[in-house]
Every structure is written in C-alpha cells, then in structure tokens.
Amino acid sequence: MEIETREFKHSHLVKVKGRLDSATSPEFAKALNELTNHGHYKIVVDFKELEFITSAGLRVLINTQKTCKRYNRGEVVLSSVPSNIYASLDLAGFTVLFKIFSDELTAVGNF
Amino acid sequence: MLETMSEIVNSAIFAGYYKNLAKIAEFIRQAAQDAGFDSATIYQIELAVDEACSNIIEHAYGGEGLGDIECSYEISPRRLTIKLKDYGKSFKPETIEEPDLKAPLYRRANHGLGLHFIRELIDEVSFDFDQKSGNILTLVKYRN
C-alpha cells in the first residue's frame, strides 16, 4: 500500500493505492490521525488506485469520520471509488455515511 | 463411458501474520480463477477469506505469530470449497451480533463487519471447532 497526502486551501487529499487490509490499515490510520491531530478535519480520501479493502480499512474510515464530524468541524468524503470497493462500502452500510464524488477535484471543490 | 471433470485439490500453510494475508489472497485468487468465477465474484471470495484469516489471527490466536493457518480448496464442477484451519480459541458464531447497518454514525460499532461480510459473500459457511484436531471454517461458493 502507498499513501500520498496533499494539502489544498480548504481540505487535504489522501490518495491510497494498493491493498488496505489488517497489515496495512495501521499505516492508513496513522496518515489520517496525522491530519486530525493537527486540526485538519476536511479530508478527501481518493480510492482511484485502491485495489482491495477489508473491514480493517473500513474501521479506520469510520473512526476518522466520527472524529471529523464531531462538533460539525468537518468530514471525510471519498472520491473515485472502484466498483468492487463500492460494493464493500455498500455491504457495510457505509454509502449513507460518506459523500462519494466521481473524481478528486470535485471532492476537493466540495469544501 | 461418461467423462467426468477431475477435481482440483490444493493446500498451503501460512504463518499467522497480517503480512501473509496478501499471500493467502493470491493463493485463493488462483483457486477462484481456476474455478471459473468472474472477477467480481473472485473479489468477493478473496474478501471473505481475508476477513476469516484476519479473525483467526486476531481472535483465535489472539495476535500475530502465534499459530498457522492451513488453507485448502477443492474445485468441483459445481462449486469451490475452501477450508481454513487453525489451532486457536473457538468461539460461538451465533453469539456474534449482526452489525446495525442503519445506525447513525456515532452508534456504528467498531467490530463485527468481518463475519457479516463472510456471511453475505459466501453461499455456505460452517464452523467446526475442535481443541485437539483444530478448528475448521468451511466456505462454499457455487457456480451459477
């Protein structure tokens, strides 16, 4: 798995590539905690090059969403979600908890 | 004489580390491809097996490096049967609550999704627990 974080004027973009499972989710959590610990609660997570996600990765997403939405200070949105990944989000009942955008620029523009 | 399709049987043993989940996925992907499933179904099978193996490491063994996972599969004309064996703790699957998928964000639980995925993605799921000879999880996926 590879993670790349970019800063925009009103949000941060986190691009995740490869495989997000029990082995790699701690690193994903670390990248997101790095943002929220510094008071950045408006986050776009781009899944364009994500190949695989398990419940371990989904747990990180939901925990970060809880942190970001507290006090209405921000939220995590998703972009470029491949169909297999979308199916897992749907199976977990997550599609109502995250806004999903077709591409990263639209998602960044949402903030 | 009637020609029958021979069954493919294969097995492998993986040490119970999270880094081996990708290797297990590769092993299972090959099985699902050989069984002739489409790419979306192959993904579902890989996901269910990953969730099962993660649970074995986390819950049955209680951590990484504490035991092996024995994976085997059998391909027959009608189905793919995967067996995952461990020598860790048993549990009562019926006591694991289904996650509330309609709960608001703040009430979403932090666990239970793995087993939910396995049950949703696989046609037949059965657990056989035996402290001496090992615990076996059997996953059966049928071809249409």
Side-chain angles (χ1 to χ4, degrees):
Chain A
M1 184 191 64
E2 280 176 53
I3 299 178
E4 186 190 314
T5 303
R6 271 164 64 196
E7 188 175 349
F8 285 82
K9 199 173 175 189
H10 301 292
S11 64
H12 283 73
L13 172 67
V14 179
K15 297 175 84 123
V16 201
K17 301 174 189 179
R19 205 185 139 82
L20 192 40
D21 62 10
S22 294
T24 56
S25 60
E27 204 187 320
F28 181 49
K30 202 175 148 197
L32 292 172
N33 290 340
E34 183 72 18
L35 294 177
T36 55
N37 289 342
H38 285 88
H40 304 303
Y41 302 111
K42 293 173 179 168
I43 302 171
V44 176
V45 177
D46 186 83
F47 281 163
K48 190 176 184 181
E49 292 177 76
L50 186 68
E51 289 160 12
F52 194 74
I53 191 168
T54 70
S55 62
L58 296 178
R59 267 202 295 274
V60 175
L61 275 184
I62 202 90
N63 287 338
T64 310
Q65 185 69 304
K66 283 177 183 172
T67 304
C68 289
K69 281 204 162 180
R70 199 172 298 150
Y71 316 122
N72 262 335
R73 58 194 175 186
E75 68 178 310
V76 177
V77 303
L78 310 176
S79 64
S80 314
V81 181
S83 60
N84 283 336
I85 310 286
Y86 184 87
S88 298
L89 291 169
D90 196 33
L91 204 55
F94 277 22
T95 51
V96 294
L97 302 177
F98 295 88
K99 284 183 195 156
I100 298 177
F101 294 92
S102 57
D103 60 272
E104 60 184 68
L105 286 180
T106 317
V108 167
N110 162 69
F111 288 110
Chain B
M1 204 167 88
L2 196 70
E3 198 180 325
T4 55
M5 183 178 163
S6 62
E7 294 195 345
I8 299 174
V9 180
N10 201 354
S11 67
I13 298 174
F14 300 90
Y17 289 95
Y18 293 131
K19 65 169 195 240
N20 282 339
L21 292 171
K23 290 179 191 161
I24 296 171
E26 224 172 278
F27 178 72
I28 293 301
R29 190 183 316 134
Q30 190 61 53
Q33 277 169 0
D34 291 346
F37 288 106
D38 62 36
S39 64
T41 311
I42 292 170
Y43 185 95
Q44 293 178 345
I45 295 168
E46 260 186 75
L47 179 55
V49 169
D50 186 293
E51 298 291 352
C53 292
S54 298
N55 281 346
I56 288 172
I57 296 170
E58 187 180 352
H59 301 297
Y61 287 128
E64 290 188 273
L66 297 171
D68 292 340
I69 303 171
E70 298 176 14
C71 301
S72 62
Y73 63 81
E74 196 180 299
I75 300 169
S76 73
R78 284 196 57 230
R79 61 184 178 265
L80 168 65
T81 305
I82 297 166
K83 286 183 193 288
L84 303 170
K85 190 172 183 183
D86 70 76
Y87 300 89
K89 275 185 296 192
S90 61
F91 74 107
K92 292 194 171 86
E94 65 279 7
T95 62
I96 308 291
E97 267 183 55
E98 275 288 308
D100 182 357
L101 305 180
K102 298 211 164 125
L105 176 68
Y106 70 94
R107 279 189 40 229
R108 289 296 178 111
N110 224 345
H111 47 81
L113 271 183
L115 192 57
H116 168 70
F117 278 6
I118 296 167
R119 285 172 169 149
E120 289 292 318
L121 299 172
I122 297 296
D123 297 324
E124 281 175 21
V125 180
S126 61
F127 292 91
D128 294 293
F129 297 106
D130 189 316
Q131 294 289 11
K132 282 183 190 157
S133 60
N135 308 314
I136 299 174
L137 168 58
T138 306
L139 307 171
V140 181
K141 191 78 177 174
Y142 286 95
R143 292 199 278 202
N144 294 333

